[in-house]
Amino acid sequence: MFRRSALALGSALGLVLASGAAFAQTGKVTVVTSFSKDVTDPIKKAFEKAVPGATLEVQNRNTNAGVKYVEETKANNQVDLFWASAPDAFEVLKGKKLLTAYKPKATGIPDKIGSYPINDPQGFYFGFAASGYGIMWND
């Protein structure tokens, strides 16, 4: 799971590098995420090793604070990637026109798991991992 998430984030960071004017000007990619440092620090280290001269700035914030940060820094265009596991946060950002549409090159990914969509139909955000959950008790 972690390896797939890291690969997906690496692909997203590659997209940011390929199209990011901010990176071209500063050499820095800014990621706002609700994931903890124990998840993001190894990715930061690997990214900076793979892209010499680049800096990956990770803003670890809970999802609500992350959305607020993106809203507040909109005028300065300081956030390159928003990484969270809350689809509703992406809907809020999309509704406020804070996301850019993208057409991924990957093919063969289903549109839905059951009746739940994996990606935004208009292409403003994409799923990067799927996980199950359960509840267990002892009688």
Side-chain angles (χ1 to χ4, degrees):
M1 169 77 168
F2 173 76
R3 187 174 193 296
R4 282 184 289 195
S5 295
L7 290 172
L9 182 61
S11 298
L13 289 170
L15 166 67
V16 168
L17 289 178
S19 63
F23 176 76
Q25 293 172 0
T26 65
K28 178 176 79 171
V29 175
T30 300
V31 175
V32 175
T33 182
S34 59
F35 291 95
S36 63
K37 287 187 173 288
D38 63 320
V39 172
T40 61
D41 282 351
I43 293 170
K44 174 181 170 53
K45 183 178 177 182
F47 176 80
E48 290 176 350
K49 181 178 179 182
V51 185
T55 301
L56 184 62
E57 177 188 357
V58 179
Q59 294 284 330
N60 300 89
R61 299 167 184 264
N62 72 43
T63 302
N64 290 336
V67 168
K68 186 171 176 89
Y69 182 79
V70 171
E71 291 171 332
E72 291 171 351
T73 61
K74 174 178 126 175
N76 299 329
N77 197 22
Q78 294 178 359
V79 177
D80 299 298
L81 188 70
F82 187 81
W83 181 28
S85 58
D88 54 326
F90 290 94
E91 281 295 323
V92 168
L93 293 171
K94 178 183 168 185
K96 294 183 179 208
K97 300 189 182 330
L98 294 171
L99 299 176
T100 301
Y102 172 71
K103 174 82 170 131
K105 294 177 178 78
T107 59
I109 300 169
D111 291 331
K112 295 180 179 181
I113 294 178
S115 63
Y116 194 82
I118 296 174
N119 302 318
D120 175 51
Q122 287 82 41
F124 284 92
Y125 56 87
F126 299 89
F128 70 92
S131 60
Y133 62 91
I135 299 173
M136 184 183 95
W137 65 92
N138 189 0
D139 283 336

